[in-house]
Amino acid sequence: MLPLRHLRSGLKSFPLALLFLPVALHAQAPAAQPPTGCAAMLEKWKAVATVPLPEWRVHSYEGLPNGAAADVDDSAWESVKMWTWPNTSSGTSWFRQSVVVPSTILGYDVRNAPLRFRVNVDSEYPVYMSVYVNGMVRAQGYDLEPLLLTGIAEPGQKIVIAVKADAPAAKVRLTTAQLEIGAAPGRPDVRMLLESCATAEMLNAVVTEGKEQRAQQIEATRNVIDWAALNRNDQRAFDESVRRAQEKLEPLRNWLQSFSIRAVGNAHIDMAWLWPWTETVEVTRNTFASVLNLMQEYPDFTFTHGSPANYA
């Protein structure tokens, strides 16, 4: 079981999208069937709004404590790709990537859009990461939320990302490194619309009352989106079609919001299993600190633990 600090917080309230539910329902579907309808459109949009960063320059921390500096020459550093780690399987390493903000991605204009960076590392034990942007530390922790690089993307803007990762003596892999494009001010949020539409599709498949009418509204939502506008770089036409799709889906808002979700996290802490008691103390403190932060952010969040020794 994963420690609680490894679980991402997603208990925020969104207007239409029930973000956890599509994941849960999709997990029950046959893996061989490709996504259809709004789910397929959502995958198509992810290809537009997500920029993978598969290749990184890597250097060990030893002998290079300032590897995050924006002017460091990393041309001679080892080059690695996703799902790999440097030659040394443990210790602290630098990962660097220079990103130039494009003007468009698959026809979508990214000017003035928020730009986030997501990085995940997979290991048997927690990997503490520090993320630097243009030489300045911007995030630190074990399981980081997407980091806002800029709230207003400017085409041609160069951003140097450096990650200092403290990897324990275990197999470690870089599993996710990508940029995520949001909706610029004044533009409709395509991802929110499609997540809401995909949720409506999944719920409608199992709720029979009023099913036919909802199916027509969902189909109308899908059909009105003008994907061809992106091919001809017509941002206004695309945005207008998304707004019309939002209007088509709006009558389902109350129905979608009539459902609720309970998310339960588990923190499994071994008191002294194949590690010294000092590490147990550190794991307990880190886990409880994550819980306290969640309780402050979400007033309805509750927590219990079965070991008095951990509380002590």
Side-chain angles (χ1 to χ4, degrees), residues 24-40:
L25 294 180
H26 182 69
Q28 300 173 7
Q33 294 189 6
T36 59
C38 289

Side-chain angles (χ1 to χ4, degrees), residues 121-198:
V121 173
D122 179 43
S123 174
E124 299 175 39
Y125 302 103
V127 176
Y128 191 86
M129 292 181 290
S130 300
V131 181
Y132 296 77
V133 179
N134 294 332
M136 302 294 293
V137 62
R138 294 282 299 277
Q140 292 178 307
Y142 288 100
D143 190 18
L144 301 176
E145 295 292 329
L147 171 66
L148 181 65
L149 297 177
T150 176
I152 305 177
E154 300 178 5
Q157 178 183 5
K158 182 179 179 180
I159 302 175
V160 178
I161 303 172
V163 180
K164 184 176 73 172
D166 186 7
K171 292 183 179 179
V172 185
R173 296 176 297 179
L174 181 66
T175 57
T176 304
Q178 62 191 34
L179 301 180
E180 297 177 355
I181 311 298
R187 301 195 68 175
D189 193 329
V190 182
R191 181 165 187 153
M192 181 68 71
L193 166 69
L194 295 177
E195 285 178 339
S196 302
C197 187

Side-chain angles (χ1 to χ4, degrees), residues 44-45 47-51 101-114 155 180-191 226-227 229-236 238-239 242-243:
K44 182 175 182 177
W45 177 251
V48 175
T50 304
V51 182
V101 178
S103 57
T104 60
I105 301 176
L106 298 180
Y108 186 78
D109 193 337
V110 304
R111 285 177 297 179
N112 300 324
E180 297 177 355
I181 311 298
R187 301 195 68 175
D189 193 329
V190 182
R191 181 165 187 153
D226 185 6
W227 294 99
L230 289 181
N231 297 332
R232 59 180 186 271
N233 197 26
D234 191 340
Q235 308 298 314
R236 177 173 295 182
F238 178 73
D239 286 357
V242 174
R243 292 189 180 97

Side-chain angles (χ1 to χ4, degrees), residues 45-301:
W45 177 251
K46 287 179 180 178
V48 175
T50 304
V51 182
L53 303 175
E55 297 186 7
W56 289 79
R57 294 284 187 178
V58 184
H59 196 287
S60 64
Y61 180 82
E62 185 177 357
L64 188 62
N66 64 335
D71 58 353
V72 168
D73 181 7
D74 59 12
S75 60
W77 290 21
E78 180 182 358
S79 178
V80 299
K81 294 185 177 181
M82 297 291 296
W83 293 90
T84 63
W85 199 253
N87 292 329
T88 56
S89 60
S90 63
T92 302
S93 299
W94 290 107
F95 287 74
R96 284 176 61 91
Q97 173 93 226
S98 294
V99 177
V100 178
V101 178
S103 57
T104 60
I105 301 176
L106 298 180
Y108 186 78
D109 193 337
V110 304
R111 285 177 297 179
N112 300 324
L115 182 65
R116 289 178 170 84
F117 170 61
R118 183 189 297 271
V119 59
N120 289 322
V121 173
D122 179 43
S123 174
E124 299 175 39
Y125 302 103
V127 176
Y128 191 86
M129 292 181 290
S130 300
V131 181
Y132 296 77
V133 179
N134 294 332
M136 302 294 293
V137 62
R138 294 282 299 277
Q140 292 178 307
Y142 288 100
D143 190 18
L144 301 176
E145 295 292 329
L147 171 66
L148 181 65
L149 297 177
T150 176
I152 305 177
E154 300 178 5
Q157 178 183 5
K158 182 179 179 180
I159 302 175
V160 178
I161 303 172
V163 180
K164 184 176 73 172
D166 186 7
K171 292 183 179 179
V172 185
R173 296 176 297 179
L174 181 66
T175 57
T176 304
Q178 62 191 34
L179 301 180
E180 297 177 355
I181 311 298
R187 301 195 68 175
D189 193 329
V190 182
R191 181 165 187 153
M192 181 68 71
L193 166 69
L194 295 177
E195 285 178 339
S196 302
C197 187
T199 301
E201 282 181 328
M202 294 176 186
L203 287 172
N204 201 44
V206 295
V207 180
T208 56
E209 184 178 356
K211 183 174 183 177
E212 183 176 349
Q213 181 180 0
R214 289 192 299 269
Q216 294 175 354
Q217 291 171 310
I218 294 169
E219 183 179 6
T221 300
R222 295 196 306 261
N223 292 340
V224 78
I225 300 178
D226 185 6
W227 294 99
L230 289 181
N231 297 332
R232 59 180 186 271
N233 197 26
D234 191 340
Q235 308 298 314
R236 177 173 295 182
F238 178 73
D239 286 357
E240 289 178 353
S241 72
V242 174
R243 292 189 180 97
R244 290 197 301 272
Q246 291 173 331
E247 293 173 356
K248 298 289 185 182
L249 195 63
E250 179 65 22
L252 297 182
R253 173 187 291 270
N254 291 337
W255 178 72
L256 282 171
Q257 292 183 337
S258 67
F259 297 88
S260 61
I261 300 171
R262 292 185 180 273
V264 180
N266 173 265
H268 178 78
I269 301 175
D270 289 307
M271 295 303 294
W273 183 77
L274 297 183
W275 56 24
W277 70 269
T278 52
E279 188 161 352
T280 299
V281 172
E282 180 183 2
V283 168
T284 301
R285 286 175 175 170
N286 291 336
T287 302
F288 278 42
S290 296
V291 169
L292 292 174
N293 289 334
L294 287 171
M295 293 176 74
Q296 290 179 347
E297 188 173 358
Y298 305 104
D300 295 334
F301 184 85

